[in-house]
Amino acid sequence: MKVCRKSLDLAMLRSCMNPKEISNKAGISYPAFKRASNQENVKPATIGRIAKALNIDPAEIIEKGE
């Protein structure tokens, strides 16, 4: 699965969190977060953890057409 970078950036903006804060709150490594934000394929659980850290539905940041 891939993350939509634009949607992720918007969610980060709304939450006032930076990538390090999100990766810490999500319980994932910073490189895993960077892979997701660079629109590489990541595990669904990684996207779920990022979404949970941002208090949003995972569907909000999933790349459409997946």
Side-chain angles (χ1 to χ4, degrees):
M1 298 186 95
K2 292 183 182 181
V3 169
C4 175
R5 178 62 189 244
K6 191 174 183 178
S7 298
L8 177 60
D9 286 345
L10 185 59
M12 289 171 56
L13 206 129
R14 286 182 183 143
S15 70
C16 299
M17 293 176 71
N18 66 43
K20 288 274 190 186
E21 292 170 327
I22 294 168
S23 59
N24 286 339
K25 188 173 178 180
I28 60 173
S29 68
Y30 179 71
F33 177 83
K34 289 306 290 178
R35 280 192 300 275
S37 67
N38 288 333
Q39 296 182 305
E40 296 178 27
N41 280 319
V42 292
K43 295 177 184 176
T46 301
I47 294 173
R49 288 177 181 202
I50 291 170
K52 187 174 183 181
L54 291 168
N55 293 318
I56 60 171
D57 189 290
E60 291 185 40
I61 58 171
I62 291 175
E63 185 71 47
K64 305 305 180 229
E66 276 287 304

